[in-house]
Amino acid sequence: MSSFLQGRSLEEQEAANIVANLHGAGSGVMEEDKRGVSGNKRSRDDDNGAMKQLAGGAKPSSPPRKKKAAKLSSSIKEATVEDSDEEMDATARVFAAPELKPAPYFYYSDHSLEEDPDPLTPITASGHVPTFPAKMHAILTNPNLNDIVAWAPHGRSWTILKPRAFEVRILPKYFEHSKFSSFVRQANGWGFRRLSSGNDRNTYYHEYFLRGMPWLVKKMRRPKVNEKKSISPEQEPGFVAISEEFPVPDRPLMREILVLQRIMEKGAKARMPVNWELESPEVAKVMAAAAAAADIPSDLNLAEGANEEEDNGGGG
């Protein structure tokens, strides 16, 4: 540039310098523009990569706050499970969380010494159709049906002696169907188990279903599918040995069961009366006859005896 300006006038040299400066400034601007375009391109490439990552199913990493919330939710669920375990009802304890004991009990628990904690609450509420366990208590207590279905001698299980007669005489009248297989499904649905070996083979049992103790069925409900646990034949309870240690006592006949027997004669969907006193005259006769045949006092006779003692000044 200096050799080019030699021999030129001062004005021409100044004009040439101005043009050279303008050219340098223009190239600087172009370099900056190029760098800006390149930066924008990288930014667009980064955005496109993030979009492709999301479209491919990848999830952005959770911030620490979300992780803490998930951990807190997990701890709450664990606490809820522990609380539900503590609040399990009788059926859940029998089926969902059975405790293995030494023979002859295994997964069976004895309830023969339990009394009714709430005798004012009936087995079947007034105006309701009796449940399956309540009906079975009434049937097994009926002496006219003992040749068809009966308690085992120890009173912890029951058996159907004549399946065909059971289908013809009992099922249509008390359960509104006549299929033995349907009855078995109904018994299984209520948690009854069938023993597969030993002296009590083919008998049905439930911890809360004992002879002379119908109030225990107030603790029964249909177990859920996930609550049912299978028991191997080697771990089935031995009722003969259990009853030697804890025999099922002979209990007074309950007036409610005899009222239930009378109501069931009206059909499978008959409901318990609102006023039991309407049933009292005939029930009193049935209870007296049953008590005399069994040589045990009925709860009605016990009440009458207590009233007589009060009238006589307490018997002393």
Side-chain angles (χ1 to χ4, degrees):
M1 175 68 69
S2 58
S3 61
F4 174 78
L5 294 178
Q6 290 179 357
R8 300 283 182 177
S9 64
L10 182 61
E11 292 178 357
E12 291 177 342
Q13 291 181 8
E14 290 179 357
N17 288 332
I18 292 172
V19 172
N21 291 334
L22 290 175
H23 183 269
S27 61
V29 172
M30 291 179 64
E31 291 295 332
E32 290 181 0
D33 291 343
K34 289 181 179 179
R35 286 196 295 268
V37 170
S38 177
N40 292 336
K41 183 179 181 181
R42 284 196 299 270
S43 177
R44 286 196 300 271
D45 291 342
D46 293 340
D47 293 341
N48 293 336
M51 294 297 292
K52 290 180 180 179
Q53 186 180 13
L54 290 175
K59 296 181 180 179
S61 58
S62 301
R65 186 181 301 175
K66 291 187 177 181
K67 291 183 179 179
K68 291 181 179 179
K71 186 175 181 180
L72 179 61
S73 176
S74 177
S75 62
I76 292 174
K77 288 181 180 179
E78 292 176 359
T80 304
V81 171
E82 292 178 358
D83 294 340
S84 63
D85 290 341
E86 295 177 357
E87 298 174 358
M88 284 193 302
D89 60 9
T91 298
R93 287 192 295 272
V94 171
F95 292 94
E99 178 185 354
L100 182 61
K101 309 174 189 65
Y105 293 89
F106 297 107
Y107 291 105
Y108 182 86
S109 297
D110 174 67
H111 302 282
S112 61
L113 300 179
E114 294 184 14
E115 299 293 338
D116 190 354
D118 187 12
L120 298 180
T121 299
I123 299 169
T124 303
S126 298
H128 287 71
V129 177
T131 63
F132 178 87
K135 286 185 177 183
M136 286 306 303
H137 257 292
I139 291 171
L140 290 165
T141 309
N142 189 341
N144 297 325
L145 301 175
N146 288 161
D147 62 323
I148 300 175
V149 57
W151 288 103
H154 46 66
R156 294 180 182 274
S157 63
W158 48 273
T159 183
I160 298 173
L161 303 171
K162 299 177 181 178
R164 180 56 184 164
F166 190 83
E167 282 185 323
V168 174
R169 292 180 53 187
I170 293 180
L171 291 183
K173 186 173 185 178
Y174 302 123
F175 297 99
E176 207 176 25
H177 63 79
S178 58
K179 291 183 178 181
F180 189 78
S181 58
S182 298
F183 174 82
V184 171
R185 283 195 299 270
Q186 196 170 7
N188 292 336
W190 272 94
F192 285 92
R193 300 182 187 272
R194 184 177 65 86
L195 293 172
S196 59
S197 61
N199 296 330
D200 294 319
R201 184 173 179 269
N202 290 331
T203 64
Y204 292 85
Y205 75 95
H206 190 291
E207 280 189 17
Y208 291 101
F209 195 84
L210 301 178
R211 182 185 60 206
M213 303 178 67
W215 60 84
L216 290 176
V217 305
K218 290 189 285 187
K219 298 183 178 182
M220 294 176 63
R221 63 167 172 80
R222 295 175 180 269
K224 301 174 183 178
V225 176
N226 59 352
E227 289 178 336
K228 293 182 179 180
K229 302 291 189 298
S230 60
I231 296 178
S232 64
E234 294 78 14
Q235 293 179 329
E236 291 178 345
F239 289 140
V240 174
I242 293 175
S243 297
E244 290 177 356
E245 184 178 2
F246 296 105
V248 177
D250 290 327
R251 302 268 183 166
L253 297 176
M254 288 188 64
R255 175 166 166 257
E256 181 178 354
I257 291 298
L258 292 169
V259 172
L260 177 56
Q261 288 179 351
R262 175 174 168 77
I263 295 302
M264 286 171 57
E265 294 297 322
K266 299 179 181 180
K269 291 187 177 181
R271 301 174 181 270
M272 289 294 286
V274 175
N275 186 0
W276 286 12
E277 298 303 323
L278 298 176
E279 311 293 335
S280 292
E282 291 189 30
V283 168
K285 294 179 182 178
V286 173
M287 292 184 70
D295 195 24
I296 59 175
S298 66
D299 59 352
L300 184 60
N301 291 338
L302 290 175
E304 291 177 350
N307 293 334
E308 290 178 359
E309 289 184 2
E310 290 178 1
D311 294 340
N312 295 330

